[in-house]
Amino acid sequence: MRLVDSRNYQKGYYIEGNTAKKLNTAPIREERPEREKERKVNKRISRNTRHAKAFDLKYTMALTVATVFLFAACVNMLTLQADITEQRRQIAALEKSLTELTDTNNETSKRLESSVNLTKVYDVATNELGMIYPQNGQVVSYEASDPDYVKQFKDVPKE
């Protein structure tokens, strides 16, 4: 144990460095009067305690179920979002393919139309094959269910 220098020791404090510390001090404890060891527990307090414990279990279970439901809903939503994204990608690819096919079809149609000389067709039909325009009464009109395609199974009636 060190001897305390009188200039560093004043009124129970010892100064060492830049801090001041009290020597040999312990906290002073107050004496409390003894309480009754056996407490009377109010019925209302004990009922509330039991209710709080039961509510805590119910609350925990409800929170667990809600969390599982929320997690499942999030997973479902993300799955649907991924499906929608994939379908949009497929739609875009199909639209691109449709556009390419339409352009190709239009180009082919224009090329075919430009390759046919209608004047030559008329000359061959009238001069070589002996075709003539129909006279009045030779043309028979009727309503077709599909105007794009006609298939004849028997002769067209005169009237």
Side-chain angles (χ1 to χ4, degrees):
M1 187 172 197
R2 297 184 341 186
L3 292 175
V4 178
D5 191 5
S6 63
R7 64 180 173 196
N8 289 336
Y9 184 75
Q10 299 169 353
K11 295 184 184 179
Y13 289 97
Y14 176 69
I15 301 171
E16 179 179 336
N18 62 355
T19 59
K21 298 177 186 173
K22 221 174 196 183
L23 294 176
N24 299 328
T25 59
I28 299 172
R29 296 186 180 205
E30 295 180 9
E31 298 280 332
R32 292 186 188 173
E34 278 191 42
R35 292 186 178 179
E36 295 179 18
K37 289 190 178 182
E38 288 186 31
R39 276 184 164 174
K40 281 192 170 181
V41 177
N42 191 350
K43 287 183 182 181
R44 178 186 257 175
I45 293 172
S46 65
R47 186 182 70 217
N48 286 345
T49 305
R50 283 193 314 266
H51 180 69
K53 287 179 182 177
F55 179 74
D56 196 25
L57 179 63
K58 289 178 187 176
Y59 178 74
T60 304
M61 293 301 292
L63 188 61
T64 304
V65 168
T67 304
V68 168
F69 179 75
L70 184 63
F71 180 74
C74 288
V75 167
N76 188 29
M77 186 198 73
L78 290 174
T79 303
L80 290 175
Q81 186 77 21
D83 290 345
I84 288 171
T85 303
E86 179 63 24
Q87 287 177 353
R88 284 184 179 169
R89 189 192 61 75
Q90 289 176 353
I91 288 170
L94 289 173
E95 284 177 347
K96 181 180 178 187
S97 175
L98 176 65
T99 303
E100 290 173 359
L101 288 173
T102 303
D103 291 344
T104 305
N105 190 23
N106 288 340
E107 289 172 9
T108 305
S109 178
K110 292 289 184 191
R111 189 172 38 89
L112 289 174
E113 286 176 8
S114 67
S115 70
V116 175
N117 185 355
L118 295 179
T119 308
K120 185 175 181 184
V121 171
Y122 179 77
D123 286 339
V124 169
T126 55
N127 296 332
E128 293 180 18
L129 300 175
M131 296 179 76
I132 59 171
Y133 278 105
Q135 302 291 325
N136 287 340
Q138 288 182 331
V139 176
V140 178
S141 298
Y142 65 96
E143 295 287 326
S145 61
D146 186 10
D148 292 338
Y149 181 73
V150 176
K151 189 171 187 180
Q152 183 178 349
F153 291 107
K154 56 185 172 180
D155 290 338
V156 178
K158 301 276 183 195
E159 290 182 24

